[in-house]
Amino acid sequence: TADVLSCNVEDVPLDGRNLIIKAFDLFRERSGNTSFFRCHIDKKTPMEGGMGGGSSNCATALWAANKLCGSLVSDQTLIEWGGELGSDVSFFLSEGTAYCTGRGEIVDTIS
């Protein structure tokens, strides 16, 4: 079997080029879990508009996979994995206001 990804916008890639699929693949690889997932993107922002849509979707997919599988890894681990998937994915896994360094993958939460 495989993950199933759908979208309301025709030009969005639904295969391994999509960060959501990459997140699911990384989650399985690192956690050892063998579950597959079904995800629908209801896209409202322009493609490649630089607004973090793909990165936030990727972060949400990684977080959701972890929650659906019983929270196998810590939030900090998800943040580290997110940095491997994209420069600002880790930011979208943080809580509240954050200061990011490096490529954006090093996240310090600001209280």
Side-chain angles (χ1 to χ4, degrees), residues 82-90 100-106:
E84 297 176 36
L85 292 163
S87 294
D88 55 354
V89 173
S90 298
C100 301
T101 55
R103 300 180 343 266
E105 82 284 6
I106 302 168

Side-chain angles (χ1 to χ4, degrees), residues 20 24 30-31 61 64 81 84 103:
I20 292 172
F24 292 153
R30 297 290 173 82
S31 72
W81 292 355
E84 297 176 36
R103 300 180 343 266

Side-chain angles (χ1 to χ4, degrees), residues 27-79:
F27 177 78
R28 277 190 295 276
E29 176 187 319
R30 297 290 173 82
S31 72
N33 188 283
T34 59
S35 297
F36 289 95
F37 305 95
R38 179 180 305 267
C39 180
H40 177 76
I41 305 167
D42 187 16
K43 189 146 184 64
K44 305 279 187 198
T45 58
M47 281 184 55
E48 299 180 10
M51 299 165 68
S55 295
S56 63
N57 288 344
C58 178
T60 301
L62 195 56
W63 179 86
N66 190 46
K67 292 297 177 192
L68 289 168
C69 293
S71 298
L72 300 174
V73 300
S74 69
D75 289 343
Q76 183 58 44
T77 298
L78 292 178
I79 289 171

Side-chain angles (χ1 to χ4, degrees), residues 15-29:
D15 56 16
R17 296 171 293 162
N18 192 294
L19 284 171
I20 292 172
I21 297 297
K22 290 180 181 184
F24 292 153
D25 288 343
L26 181 72
F27 177 78
R28 277 190 295 276
E29 176 187 319

